[in-house]
Amino acid sequence: EVVMTQSPATLSVSPGQRATLSCRASQSVASNLAWYQQKLGQAPRLLIFGASTRATGIPARFGGSGSGTEFTLTISSLQSEDFAVYYCQQYNNWPLTFGGGTKVEIK
Amino acid sequence: EVQLVESGGGLVQPGGSLRLSCAASGFTFSRFAMSWVRQTPGKGLEWVSATGGGGGYTFYADSVKGRFTISRDNSRNTLYLQLDSLRGEDTALYFCAKPSVGGNWFESWGQGTPVTVSS
């Protein structure tokens, strides 16, 4: 199974600042990586697929990059609604696997 | 608009069984593979199982293989997950999730149904 490791576990950022979240795969997943945002009490919401393609309706301040084993989600200027938990997921191999999440909190 | 509505969760004793359902609408259900994903309290997401659009293939996480069974009824636009031999570690919120036509990333999720395994 492909193990997905996210870092940091918690990221404290001030509104308007940039946030950079990392996701590492235990083996290459090519560009078969997605990012999700989850707020308390809600289902996850798809942000990015194909490592860098924004899903429908996702603001341009969310950007994904990387391939192989190293991936990054960047939020260029954090808005109040962006404080949440973010998960990466690989879909290159079965079983599908998720990272443990990064909580983005207000500094 | 895609809608996924899970039901069937509840409190069950260790060793017990439950059947979860996911009623789908807003898309051609039979054309899409579907998955179950769970989230344990305070923890992250774990993919559980998937089935093809025609039910021709099924995949399971090792943690549930041999105990859970995924199925679907395309005439009723409904996905199922039969949970048998339940353990405490199966306690979680179970989501139904619809992948994109392009691959196994999840573009739509239900709100989840909670399962608690406890004596």
Side-chain angles (χ1 to χ4, degrees):
Chain A
E1 139 175 347
V2 180
V3 177
M4 306 301 292
T5 303
Q6 291 186 243
S7 62
T10 303
L11 187 61
S12 298
V13 184
S14 300
Q17 297 297 101
R18 182 185 194 91
T20 302
L21 289 66
S22 295
C23 174
R24 174 176 293 177
S26 61
Q27 64 190 72
S28 177
V29 297
S31 294
N32 296 314
L33 185 106
W35 289 94
Y36 302 87
Q37 176 193 69
Q38 188 179 33
K39 298 180 181 179
L40 195 63
Q42 297 184 16
R45 178 175 73 144
L46 176 68
L47 297 176
I48 300 281
F49 62 91
S52 60
T53 302
R54 281 189 303 278
T56 302
I58 301 303
R61 65 180 181 272
F62 290 92
S65 62
S67 65
T69 62
E70 301 283 343
F71 300 89
T72 300
L73 175 70
T74 302
I75 312 171
S76 59
S77 176
L78 271 159
Q79 307 299 301
S80 57
E81 62 266 30
D82 301 336
F83 292 96
V85 181
Y86 293 83
Y87 295 95
C88 61
Q89 177 228 333
Q90 68 82 20
Y91 51 92
N92 194 63
N93 297 90
W94 296 97
L96 309 179
T97 48
F98 290 86
T102 291
K103 180 181 180 180
V104 177
E105 63 176 25
I106 300 174
K107 186 173 183 179
Chain B
E1 179 192 2
V2 172
Q3 284 203 316
L4 301 170
V5 180
E6 303 94 334
S7 60
L11 174 63
V12 61
Q13 293 187 337
S17 297
L18 278 176
R19 188 173 86 153
L20 309 183
S21 299
C22 171
S25 61
F27 64 103
T28 306
F29 182 68
S30 61
R31 292 187 181 176
F32 287 86
M34 294 292 293
S35 276
W36 289 96
V37 177
R38 68 185 180 183
Q39 186 164 34
T40 51
K43 294 191 178 180
L45 299 165
E46 179 188 18
W47 171 82
V48 172
S49 183
T51 182
Y57 71 79
T58 56
F59 291 117
Y60 297 94
D62 285 347
S63 57
V64 307
K65 200 172 294 184
R67 301 187 299 119
F68 291 8
T69 304
I70 192 170
S71 63
R72 63 194 296 158
D73 184 341
N74 287 343
S75 68
R76 296 176 182 269
N77 290 347
T78 303
L79 179 72
Y80 302 101
L81 187 67
Q82 178 69 37
L83 289 62
D84 296 320
S85 303
L86 281 161
R87 307 167 180 167
E89 55 263 36
D90 297 318
T91 294
L93 184 65
Y94 284 74
F95 294 101
C96 168
K98 171 189 171 293
S100 168
V101 65
N104 286 310
W105 62 88
F106 300 114
E107 59 182 16
S108 300
W109 298 69
Q111 284 303 303
T113 186
V115 172
T116 302
V117 184
S118 174
S119 54

